[in-house]
Amino acid sequence: MLVDKSKLKIISGENLNKYFPAHLLPYRDKDEFTMPLPHFYKMQFYFSSIETLIVIGWKGNEASFVEQLLQHARKVKKVIKVDPEPESVKKNLVSLISRDYVVTKIYNSFESFVMSNFEKDLN
């Protein structure tokens, strides 16, 4: 899907809290963020409190996003990957999951993740 950026407009003078972040992670070769600046700063802020990162169906291809994650998510102790091909996630997030104190758990399907009593992995 292509987005006609000529039809996008800057929202100003409105309460931006009513809008959800739009960083469009599914786009494979996306190297920039498309979100309001306050959302970007909130993302950075919340990254700093993450201890368990659950990656469902995301390959980690977006260099800008991964850079922010690695720079700000310093408290991550566990990464849970839910993907039938987890090697691509492993390759793209190697700087995070190779930390000595980070535990990695892999589920090969969303169904196996849900059916596994995953709550125990969140602790």
Side-chain angles (χ1 to χ4, degrees), residues 23-86:
H23 48 257
L24 305 176
L25 288 181
Y27 292 107
R28 181 178 187 173
D29 297 325
K30 194 174 140 333
D31 280 337
E32 63 185 52
F33 288 100
T34 306
M35 70 171 75
L37 197 55
H39 293 198
F40 178 80
Y41 292 136
K42 288 264 188 196
M43 178 185 72
Q44 286 182 328
F45 173 77
Y46 284 111
F47 277 169
S48 67
S49 62
I50 295 173
E51 292 184 8
T52 300
L53 176 65
I54 303 173
V55 180
I56 301 175
W58 177 63
K59 304 296 183 214
N61 292 331
E62 296 80 16
S64 298
F65 183 82
V66 171
E67 179 182 325
Q68 292 299 314
L69 180 67
L70 294 175
Q71 184 177 357
H72 297 283
R74 298 175 190 262
K75 294 182 180 178
V76 172
K77 296 176 186 161
K78 185 181 291 184
V79 175
I80 300 171
K81 295 183 283 184
V82 181
D83 197 296
E85 299 175 21

Side-chain angles (χ1 to χ4, degrees), residues 7-8 10 16-17 20 25-27 44 46 50 53 56-58 63 68 70 72-73 78 91 98 103 112 117 120 123:
K7 294 184 180 184
L8 298 177
I10 303 296
L16 296 179
N17 291 326
F20 291 100
L25 288 181
Y27 292 107
Q44 286 182 328
Y46 284 111
I50 295 173
L53 176 65
I56 301 175
W58 177 63
Q68 292 299 314
L70 294 175
H72 297 283
K78 185 181 291 184
K91 181 183 83 173
S98 65
V103 174
S112 66
N117 192 18
K120 67 182 177 343
N123 296 324

